Amino acid sequence: MDTKFSGSANYVASRDLMETVNIAVALQKPLLIKGEPGTGKTMLAQAVADALGKKLIIWNVKSTTKAQDGLYVYDVVQRLYDSQFGNAGVDDVKKYIKLGKLGEAFSADEQVVLLIDEIDKADLEFPNDLLWELDRMEFYIPETKETVQARQRPIVIITSNAEKELPDAFLRRCVFHYIEFPEQEQMEAILRVHFGDLEEKLVKQSLAAFYWLRELRGIEKKPSTSELVDWIRALVAGGVDPARIEKEIPFAGVLLKKDKDLQTLRKVK
């Protein structure tokens, strides 16, 4: 199995991104990934796990997520319920401790890839609350008076959509990479991963139309890679002649998701 990341069969990575991943792994530091939607931030973690032959653990962050959720949860309600009904083993507190995603990564016998996805969705204290655990690779459970230490330091990949600025103290502990939107040549390689047998003219015409649309003045939500893939699927399913794409954008609603953007397109096509 590879010891260094060089992309995967399902993920086309730039040289800069591959080098940054490998540096973060070598330095044993979290890798913070930013980039506009559709640039493959979340998929990167799966690609790294696949390429290195490691299990992937995903921690999806929400607006209500607290750092504690990733460590462990003490189910005091279930314990109270069991005590009321005289269930056996209620004195064993460990039964009511459930590890979170970070706890799972620390407890794994072999090294895993831990994805902390969209960290900027949580409140501003969330990244700071994780600093100790990510630095020391351990946390304490007061209910059982136990310390959970990482058996193998996980490869930590953190994604952010830049909805909020992350604290400087947190940023200092990360290796950072911004995934630029793919150039047309790289995008063609990405499409070949998804569609191995596409007609050459369809690829060229759809890419030309896609990048033209992204540069069109007045477009608020530029279409992303995933929307391009969906659009090509729609073109194939609809049996669209590639020559038609030179004159119009068929199924424009697959690419554009705002009324204003569709109106902007109608004015020029």
Side-chain angles (χ1 to χ4, degrees):
M1 194 62 64
D2 291 341
T3 57
K4 287 192 175 182
F5 177 63
S6 56
S8 73
N10 298 315
Y11 191 92
V12 178
S14 68
R15 180 180 175 183
D16 284 347
L17 178 55
M18 289 187 286
E19 289 179 345
T20 305
V21 169
N22 291 320
I23 286 297
V25 173
L27 296 178
Q28 297 187 328
K29 288 182 173 291
L31 173 60
L32 175 61
I33 298 291
K34 289 187 178 182
E36 69 174 86
T39 49
K41 299 186 298 297
T42 299
M43 291 175 61
L44 172 65
Q46 183 67 65
V48 171
D50 290 345
L52 302 184
K54 300 185 183 300
K55 178 184 176 182
L56 174 64
I57 295 176
I58 302 175
W59 184 5
N60 290 305
V61 177
K62 302 176 183 178
S63 60
T64 56
T65 301
K66 303 297 181 186
Q68 177 68 34
D69 300 337
L71 305 181
Y72 74 96
V73 175
Y74 171 37
D75 195 347
V76 65
V77 174
Q78 184 63 49
R79 190 182 185 199
L80 178 61
Y81 178 87
D82 288 349
S83 66
Q84 288 176 337
F85 287 88
N87 291 344
V90 72
D91 292 333
D92 184 5
V93 179
K94 288 185 180 180
K95 284 178 53 179
Y96 304 96
I97 299 294
K98 181 180 179 182
L99 293 177
K101 297 299 184 180
L102 196 60
E104 287 181 28
F106 284 7
S107 301
D109 291 327
E110 298 183 357
Q111 187 183 48
V112 301
V113 176
L114 172 65
L115 170 63
I116 304 177
D117 200 23
E118 299 188 326
I119 193 172
D120 51 325
K121 280 189 174 180
D123 64 43
L124 292 175
E125 293 305 312
F126 179 82
N128 281 334
D129 291 344
L130 284 178
L131 287 179
W132 172 266
E133 287 77 17
L134 290 177
D135 273 352
R136 299 293 297 271
M137 286 289 152
E138 65 179 39
F139 62 90
Y140 181 66
I141 302 178
E143 288 84 0
T144 60
K145 298 181 174 56
E146 291 180 326
T147 297
V148 177
Q149 292 181 315
R151 297 176 185 174
Q152 300 285 341
R153 179 179 285 265
I155 298 170
V156 181
I157 298 177
I158 303 168
T159 69
S160 170
N161 286 324
E163 292 181 7
K164 299 173 187 170
E165 286 297 324
L166 299 174
D168 288 346
F170 181 80
L171 294 174
R172 281 196 296 271
R173 287 163 170 82
C174 298
V175 174
F176 174 73
H177 184 82
Y178 185 91
I179 300 182
E180 299 287 349
F181 197 83
E183 297 290 340
Q184 194 159 331
E185 183 178 348
Q186 185 181 354
M187 185 64 81
E188 184 170 346
I190 292 171
L191 291 180
R192 296 300 181 191
V193 169
H194 290 275
F195 308 97
D197 55 354
L198 271 183
E199 182 185 346
E200 188 68 22
K201 189 173 182 182
L202 178 61
V203 173
K204 299 298 184 184
Q205 293 295 347
S206 58
L207 281 174
F210 174 74
Y211 280 95
W212 170 82
L213 190 56
R214 280 183 56 86
E215 296 301 319
L216 186 61
R217 181 177 295 181
I219 297 295
E220 292 183 354
K221 185 186 181 305
K222 296 181 179 181
S224 67
T225 305
S226 60
E227 286 157 341
L228 172 60
V229 171
D230 287 343
W231 185 51
I232 291 179
R233 287 196 180 110
L235 295 175
V236 172
V240 174
D241 187 331
R244 179 182 166 191
I245 304 172
E246 292 184 67
K247 305 171 185 176
E248 60 176 306
I249 306 289
F251 316 125
V254 178
L255 290 169
L256 301 177
K257 305 301 171 65
K258 289 191 172 186
D259 291 342
K260 183 178 178 182
D261 290 345
L262 287 169
Q263 291 171 8
T264 299
L265 176 62
R266 293 187 192 106
K267 290 176 182 177
V268 295
K269 280 285 188 179

